[in-house]
Amino acid sequence: MADGPVAELLLRRLEASDGGLDSAELAAELGMEHQAVVGAVKSLQALGEVIEAELRSTKRWELTAEGEEIAREGSHEARVFRSIPPEGLAQSELMRLPSGKVGFSKAMSNKWIRVDKSAADGPRVFRVVDSMEDEVQRRLQLVRGGQAEKLGEKERSELRKRKLLAEVILKTYWVSKGSAFSTSISKQETELSPEMISSGSWRDRPFKPYNFLAHGVLPDSGHLHPLLKVRSQFRQIFLEMGFTEMPTDNFIESSFWNFDALFQPQQHPARDQHDTFFLRDPAEALQLPMDYVQRVKRTHSQGGYGSQGYKYNWKLDEARKNLLRTHTTSASARALYRLAQKKPFTPVKYFSIDRVFRNETLDATHLAEFHQIEGVVADHGLTLGHLMGVLREFFTKLGITQLRFKPAYNPYTEPSMEVFSYHQGLKKWVEVGNSGVFRPEMLLPMGLPENVSVIAWGLSLERASCQLTVLEGKSGLYFSSLDSSIDILQKRAQELIENINESRQKDHALMTNFRNSLKTKVSDLTEKLEERIYQIYNDHNKIIQEKLQEFTQKMAKISHLETELKQVCHSVETVYKDLCLQPESLRFRRGPDHSRGKSPPRPSDSQPPDVFVSSVAETTSQATASEEQTHRDGEC
């Protein structure tokens, strides 16, 4: 409410100030939420010109919750550095610290610490420098003290990537005194009640002024469809040119009036089911003017009236088939047949604007149901020049003055022309209609005089509406009733453009925030990936160190065994040499008992060991000599 305590405080502060007040600064001075001050400002604005408030947007940098913590206690890398004693700290123990994972990678990047991977108890972290300066904490303290402008863009961007800093848009009001400023405020009356009038209290009551420029709520009302508005304009042009509207109330037409009466052969592709909607019930027309039908049949199959016809077997059953009319020219044929029955002949000018049906594939330029505009002039001696003159007058009333005519082909007109107009927007010529002179094979069987010619033209109402609304050089008549609609459309288009631009700005801001957030997330993921890779490396390194230590121990044992084996071999070799080098006198000779197969005498316990060894060596030497002799005897 405007009479609340915050509003009163605002008015008193505003009265004491010289120029004005900032809503954010006032909220900080009063120790309250900024939104409460904004609510008081808007309440006072509703009272009239008590105050003037200007909305201002300012950008400022604020610390996140993590940034506030670092500003108080230091950065993660600084805390990691301080936790490492001079004798070092095991890396596994360091990673268990609250700031270990994040701080370790940052401290390594800053080259404050190093890792000794060859330590006996696993990787160990040591200090590289004796002291360091925590720049991250210093920068965050500057921001907290309101000195964010002292930081460079690169420094702010780095802090924002680490989610320590955030850019905030603060919307505030600059409040100043209005023309009706007063510290005492009262609620203004918005309605004059009968009680106020009878008591006379309205004289002392303040009333809120009426805004007579405000737009009221538009009442709900019906309106013409835009296509019907354009149709009424075409109809008005025909009436101004002296045309009479033909009856076109029969959407269902027989193939006779739709095709055969127009000298269109029964085997023409337009009469196929993929181009025309044929009816199942009723499938055939029951009433046709048979004398006229016979003349049409003779013209198609045998020729006549100066024509050789199409020379085919014309079938009445095919002519009786009912369909949804494909053009309003069938209505023109009926009107001309009725004209031929009136004697004497009277020149006429007919027009029609009505619905037709085609079995078309729907797309941006084709419809299965649309409206066709058609004009017909019947008189003596009409030529192609008359047709061109009428077309120029007709299209000039539409605001189209640059016309060209191109020869074309139609089954029931000869000569035929396509009408083109220059499109100022596309800078090229576009088709706006079709025209021609009805063939004698169509007119003479009806009973019209031979010197009567009929010129005709037609165009699509939908296509014409789309093309004419964007052509330059349009007449005031065509746009006289569309001016208000165009103004409304232009205003709506301008509003739409503004909304689109605003949406683009919002999307750009969102994309910028998303891009920055994505960069931050990628940076965090990269750091986590580095930490994980380093952790995996340390684990694998520890395993390798253990395996290497086991291998070293085994190699030491093998080396020891090899030394012992060498000593044994050396002893054996020494004994062998000693045995081989004993003198003949100390060797044990073979006795007669030995030659008879008895065993040599074994040394007695009283016999010295060296004598026994000598006898063994002697025996071995004799055995060797015997073997060599046996080998020589065998060779012999």
Side-chain angles (χ1 to χ4, degrees), residues 250-262:
N250 50 332
F251 291 167
I252 298 176
E253 189 61 272
S254 65
S255 296
F256 176 79
W257 289 109
N258 197 84
F259 296 120
D260 294 277
L262 304 181

Side-chain angles (χ1 to χ4, degrees), residues 478-496:
Y478 182 75
F479 281 99
S480 60
S481 65
L482 297 179
D483 289 341
S484 59
S485 300
I486 292 175
D487 292 339
I488 294 173
L489 290 175
Q490 288 177 345
K491 291 179 181 179
R492 291 180 179 176
Q494 186 64 30
E495 292 176 358
L496 181 61

Side-chain angles (χ1 to χ4, degrees), residues 417-633:
M417 298 185 304
E418 291 177 348
V419 186
F420 288 82
S421 172
Y422 187 74
H423 195 301
Q424 296 291 347
L426 299 177
K427 302 299 181 183
K428 67 178 184 179
W429 294 87
V430 295
E431 183 182 356
V432 294
N434 207 334
S435 63
V437 180
F438 281 142
R439 298 172 65 102
E441 295 94 329
M442 169 185 169
L443 300 178
L444 295 179
M446 293 179 178
L448 289 172
E450 293 185 2
N451 60 346
V452 171
S453 300
V454 179
I455 58 176
W457 69 97
L459 60 153
S460 168
L461 177 63
E462 286 80 2
R463 181 174 295 181
S465 301
C466 294
Q467 292 175 343
L468 295 175
T469 52
V470 294
L471 285 172
E472 296 185 2
K474 299 171 283 289
S475 65
L477 172 64
Y478 182 75
F479 281 99
S480 60
S481 65
L482 297 179
D483 289 341
S484 59
S485 300
I486 292 175
D487 292 339
I488 294 173
L489 290 175
Q490 288 177 345
K491 291 179 181 179
R492 291 180 179 176
Q494 186 64 30
E495 292 176 358
L496 181 61
I497 292 173
E498 293 175 357
N499 293 334
I500 291 174
N501 292 333
E502 184 178 355
S503 299
R504 284 180 177 175
Q505 293 177 358
K506 291 181 179 179
D507 293 342
H508 180 71
L510 290 174
M511 288 301 297
T512 303
N513 295 335
F514 174 75
R515 192 182 300 111
N516 295 334
S517 175
L518 185 61
K519 289 181 180 179
T520 303
K521 290 181 179 179
V522 170
S523 178
D524 294 342
L525 289 174
T526 303
E527 292 178 0
K528 292 180 180 179
L529 183 60
E530 290 176 355
E531 294 171 5
R532 180 60 180 164
I533 291 174
Y534 193 77
Q535 184 179 0
I536 293 173
Y537 171 77
N538 290 335
D539 294 342
H540 288 189
N541 187 52
K542 186 176 180 181
I543 295 172
I544 291 172
Q545 293 291 339
E546 292 175 355
K547 297 295 185 181
L548 184 61
Q549 188 174 2
E550 293 179 3
F551 179 75
T552 303
Q553 294 174 356
K554 291 180 179 180
M555 289 301 296
K557 290 181 180 180
I558 292 172
S559 179
H560 180 70
L561 292 174
E562 183 180 5
T563 303
E564 292 181 352
L565 183 60
K566 286 182 179 179
Q567 293 176 356
V568 171
C569 291
H570 181 71
S571 300
V572 171
E573 184 180 3
T574 303
V575 172
Y576 181 78
K577 289 181 178 180
D578 292 341
L579 290 175
C580 292
L581 297 178
Q582 289 293 332
E584 291 293 332
S585 59
L586 297 178
R587 294 182 181 177
F588 178 77
R589 296 184 178 274
R590 182 181 303 175
D593 297 333
H594 180 68
S595 61
R596 292 196 277 294
K598 294 183 180 180
S599 299
R602 302 183 65 179
S604 61
D605 295 337
S606 61
Q607 193 175 7
D610 54 349
V611 176
F612 174 73
V613 171
S614 299
S615 63
V616 171
E618 183 179 358
T619 304
T620 303
S621 177
Q622 292 176 356
T624 303
S626 175
E627 288 177 359
E628 291 178 355
Q629 182 64 35
T630 303
H631 179 69
R632 285 193 296 270
D633 294 340

Side-chain angles (χ1 to χ4, degrees), residues 125-142:
V125 183
F126 295 90
R127 291 186 180 183
V128 176
V129 295
D130 297 331
S131 62
M132 56 81 196
E133 293 183 4
D134 194 353
E135 286 294 326
V136 176
Q137 184 182 24
R138 184 186 66 81
R139 294 168 185 171
L140 293 177
Q141 288 175 350
L142 286 176

Side-chain angles (χ1 to χ4, degrees), residues 168-180:
V168 179
I169 299 177
L170 179 63
K171 293 185 178 181
T172 60
Y173 284 93
W174 178 256
V175 185
S176 58
K177 298 176 183 178
S179 58

